[in-house]
């Protein structure tokens, strides 16, 4: 389960969070065919899950989520959300929908491995869980933190937690050189450029963000954390 608070720019064919490379792994980001439409691409079962329409207004803050809920026997349900509302789903129990994680691909934020699909816009926070059942709690946490009254901490125990306001951001002269996982499981990652420490005005106030310029590619795009176990 992947949850993000972002303010995306006008764009298409981008990856926000993924383990994608050369048609393997998975990628959660922006559609290759429809501008500003979220996609949840998996290399097995249903390929790219999309709404087919624009899902957000460029430059405005949103919460986005990609959920894969296992049903056993390598089958599951894929659902994507924007601001807590489901925008696309594939819940056919007869179709194999395993997420298609590739253990040889880097885990990345803001890009796919060695691809041009680098995300453009502000990223305030990313939470990754191994439990699809936390969606309601995470959506409420995001809503209270960024859009209503502040909340104390992320619910449950995330697998990874990247917070632009946290201690994991490494920057020099405004340039973000690394972004470490707040849980301590992943280091700062590697970044080839195009990331600056910025801020964005959410309804609940101004929050720090990592602003990606969308102008880098290959191994210089986004933040790479190397190969991670599924």
């Amino acid at each position: 389960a992947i949850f993000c608070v972002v303010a995306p720019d006008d764009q298409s064919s981008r990856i926000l969070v993924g383990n994608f490379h050369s048609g393997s792994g998975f990628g959660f980001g922006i559609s290759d065919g429809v501008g500003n439409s979220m996609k949840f691409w998996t290399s097995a079962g249903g390929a790219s899950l999309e709404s087919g329409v624009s899902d957000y207004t460029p430059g405005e803050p949103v919460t986005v989520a990609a959920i894969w809920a296992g049903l056993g026997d390598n089958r599951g349900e894929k659902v994507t959300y924007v601001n807590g509302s489901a925008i696309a789903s594939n819940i056919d129990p007869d179709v194999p929908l395993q997420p298609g994680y590739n253990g040889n691909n880097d885990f990345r934020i803001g890009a796919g491995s060695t691809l041009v699909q680098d995300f453009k816009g502000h990223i305030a926070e990313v939470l990754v869980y191994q439990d699809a059942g936390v969606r309601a709690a995470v959506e409420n946490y995001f809503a209270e933190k960024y859009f209503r009254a502040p909340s104390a901490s992320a619910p449950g125990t995330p697998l990874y937690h990247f917070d632009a306001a946290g201690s994991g951001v490494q920057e020099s002269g405004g340039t973000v050189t690394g972004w470490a996982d707040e849980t301590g499981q992943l280091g700062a990652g590697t970044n080839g450029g195009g990331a600056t420490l910025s801020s964005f005005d959410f309804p609940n106030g101004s929050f720090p963000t990592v602003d990606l310029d969308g102008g880098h590619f290959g191994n210089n795009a986004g933040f790479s954390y190397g190969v991670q176990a599924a």
Side-chain angles (χ1 to χ4, degrees), residues 2-4 6 8 28-30 36-39 51 53-57 60-67 79-88 135 139 147:
I2 303 168
F3 305 91
C4 310
V6 294
F28 179 44
I30 316 298
N36 308 319
S37 179
M38 301 304 299
K39 70 178 177 186
S51 69
V53 299
S54 178
D55 297 318
Y56 63 85
T57 300
E60 292 190 2
V62 293
T63 65
V64 295
I67 305 292
V79 186
T80 51
Y81 297 83
V82 172
N83 289 333
S85 298
I87 58 169
R135 186 186 67 81
E139 295 280 8
F147 300 92

Side-chain angles (χ1 to χ4, degrees), residues 8-208:
D9 285 4
D10 188 4
Q11 59 195 306
S12 61
S13 191
R14 308 292 174 126
I15 291 178
L16 174 57
V17 179
N19 163 250
F20 177 83
H21 174 57
S22 297
S24 67
F26 74 91
F28 179 44
I30 316 298
S31 167
D32 296 350
V34 180
N36 308 319
S37 179
M38 301 304 299
K39 70 178 177 186
F40 184 18
W41 190 93
T42 54
S43 58
S48 189
L49 176 65
E50 304 176 14
S51 69
V53 299
S54 178
D55 297 318
Y56 63 85
T57 300
E60 292 190 2
V62 293
T63 65
V64 295
I67 305 292
W68 181 83
L71 299 176
D73 191 26
N74 285 327
R75 299 174 186 272
E77 302 175 348
K78 289 168 62 177
V79 186
T80 51
Y81 297 83
V82 172
N83 289 333
S85 298
I87 58 169
S89 63
N90 188 335
I91 57 175
D92 186 348
D94 296 323
V95 176
L97 293 174
Q98 61 267 40
Y101 191 94
N102 189 313
N104 296 316
N105 296 346
D106 289 351
F107 173 76
R108 284 178 177 256
I109 292 178
S113 180
T114 66
L115 283 176
V116 182
Q117 295 196 21
D118 50 321
F119 181 81
K120 190 174 191 294
H122 294 263
I123 304 174
E125 193 164 352
V126 176
L127 282 165
V128 180
Y129 289 81
Q130 291 180 307
D131 178 9
V134 302
R135 186 186 67 81
V138 174
E139 295 280 8
N140 186 64
Y141 159 66
F142 280 165
E144 290 187 348
K145 180 175 180 178
Y146 294 98
F147 300 92
R148 297 199 299 261
S151 181
S153 60
T157 305
L159 179 63
Y160 305 133
H161 184 186
F162 299 90
D163 189 344
S167 60
V169 173
Q170 299 180 3
E171 61 94 17
S172 177
T175 298
V176 179
T177 58
W179 196 1
D181 168 26
E182 297 289 326
T183 72
Q185 296 208 63
L186 298 181
T190 58
N191 173 253
T196 57
L197 186 60
S198 184
S199 63
F200 194 88
D201 291 332
F202 292 86
N204 199 41
S206 181
F207 286 83

